[in-house]
Amino acid sequence: GAGVSQSPSNKVTEKGKDVELRCDPISGHTALYWYRQSLGQGLEFLIYFQGNSAPDKSGLPSDRFSAERTGGSVSTLTIQRTQQEDSAVYLCASSPAGGRSYTFGSGTRLTVV
Amino acid sequence: QQQVKQSPQSLIVQKGGIPIINCAYENTAFDYFPWYQQFPGKGPALLIAIRPDVSEKKEGRFTISFNKSAKQFSLHIMDSQPGDSATYFCAASSEYSGSARQLTFGSGTQLTVLP
């Protein structure tokens, strides 16, 4: 597609429920990144994919968080047993191989009540 | 060592003023320094970037100044306009896994340009 697409744009969930966030990167971009942005805060790195593999999962805050990427394209970030501190905007970005600049999606605003 | 420190947290200027946002880093392996602009409800968008082999880069009204010895870089916005009101993030990266780059972001500066 023309840009990075994320869905849903907003998600309200009850504490303890699982959620799935989707990212559809720019066609042909081999690298895909997930970041988390809490209210008024900077961007916290979560995970990075090169193709379908995730060489760096170091930013995932707990084992409740997982992510996968299939077909070198769409990625899903799953948060199990959501907690209130998981409330944030989850941003996805993609870049071409060796690319220095990211193209971000508009994010998914997750609210855990 | 991976941290990028950004200041100020917020900044208010009058139209036509020159806001300056500063960033500092520790990791000498960083070799690419972009700035991103984020409007409410949108993802960050690349604004301008610099490599450490130059001390200044200008694109339109936006200028990056880079001081390699001090490990600092800054964004200047000339003749600022109300439409420049946004959150600005500095970032830094080094080559990563040979095929992609992980950006480390500063904490952001919320800029307000008054009409």
Side-chain angles (χ1 to χ4, degrees), chain B residues 2-15:
Chain B
Q2 291 294 323
Q3 201 173 17
V4 176
K5 295 182 179 179
Q6 183 172 347
S7 63
Q9 185 175 8
S10 62
L11 188 54
I12 300 174
V13 299
Q14 294 285 341
K15 177 183 174 180

Side-chain angles (χ1 to χ4, degrees), chain A residues 2-112:
Chain A
V4 177
S5 178
Q6 291 189 247
S7 61
S9 55
N10 283 284
K11 176 71 176 179
V12 180
T13 190
E14 292 181 351
K15 178 181 174 181
K17 299 286 188 183
D18 298 352
V19 295
E20 286 188 353
L21 312 180
R22 175 187 169 108
C23 173
D24 200 341
I26 291 174
S27 178
H29 279 193
T30 57
L32 185 147
Y33 310 82
W34 283 97
Y35 282 81
R36 179 168 71 174
Q37 184 174 27
S38 300
L39 185 63
Q41 300 298 311
L43 286 81
E44 175 189 6
F45 171 77
L46 297 179
I47 190 170
Y48 142 70
F49 286 92
Q50 179 59 38
N52 291 335
S53 64
D56 188 354
K57 303 179 182 179
S58 63
L60 294 177
S62 77
D63 58 8
R64 297 186 295 105
F65 287 72
S66 63
E68 65 175 10
R69 188 180 185 194
T70 56
S73 181
V74 172
S75 176
T76 302
L77 177 68
T78 301
I79 309 173
Q80 296 179 310
R81 306 181 302 281
T82 52
Q83 303 295 313
Q84 288 186 330
E85 60 263 29
D86 300 333
S87 297
V89 174
Y90 290 81
L91 289 162
C92 174
S94 68
S95 72
R100 293 172 176 266
S101 66
Y102 295 2
T103 301
F104 279 90
S106 294
T108 294
R109 180 175 297 277
L110 175 66
T111 303
V112 182

Side-chain angles (χ1 to χ4, degrees), chain B:
Chain B
Q1 267 230 324
Q2 291 294 323
Q3 201 173 17
V4 176
K5 295 182 179 179
Q6 183 172 347
S7 63
Q9 185 175 8
S10 62
L11 188 54
I12 300 174
V13 299
Q14 294 285 341
K15 177 183 174 180
I18 305 175
I20 301 173
I21 304 170
N22 300 297
C23 285
Y25 63 96
E26 290 295 326
N27 187 348
T28 55
F30 286 148
D31 63 356
Y32 175 67
F33 303 88
W35 285 87
Y36 281 77
Q37 179 187 55
Q38 184 180 30
F39 293 106
K42 301 294 185 182
L46 178 65
L47 187 63
I48 185 173
I50 196 168
R51 295 173 60 178
D53 51 350
V54 298
S55 60
E56 185 177 275
K57 183 174 181 180
K58 292 183 180 180
E59 286 187 5
R61 295 183 293 107
F62 300 91
T63 299
I64 299 178
S65 297
F66 187 84
N67 185 328
K68 186 174 182 178
S69 60
K71 291 185 285 186
Q72 296 175 347
F73 57 111
S74 60
L75 176 70
H76 302 230
I77 305 175
M78 309 301 289
D79 186 28
S80 58
Q81 302 296 312
D84 296 329
S85 297
T87 300
Y88 292 82
F89 292 95
C90 64
S93 76
S94 58
E95 187 169 336
Y96 183 80
S97 299
S99 58
R101 288 172 169 269
Q102 176 190 329
L103 287 174
T104 299
F105 286 87
S107 55
T109 296
Q110 187 167 352
L111 172 66
T112 302
V113 181
L114 301 175

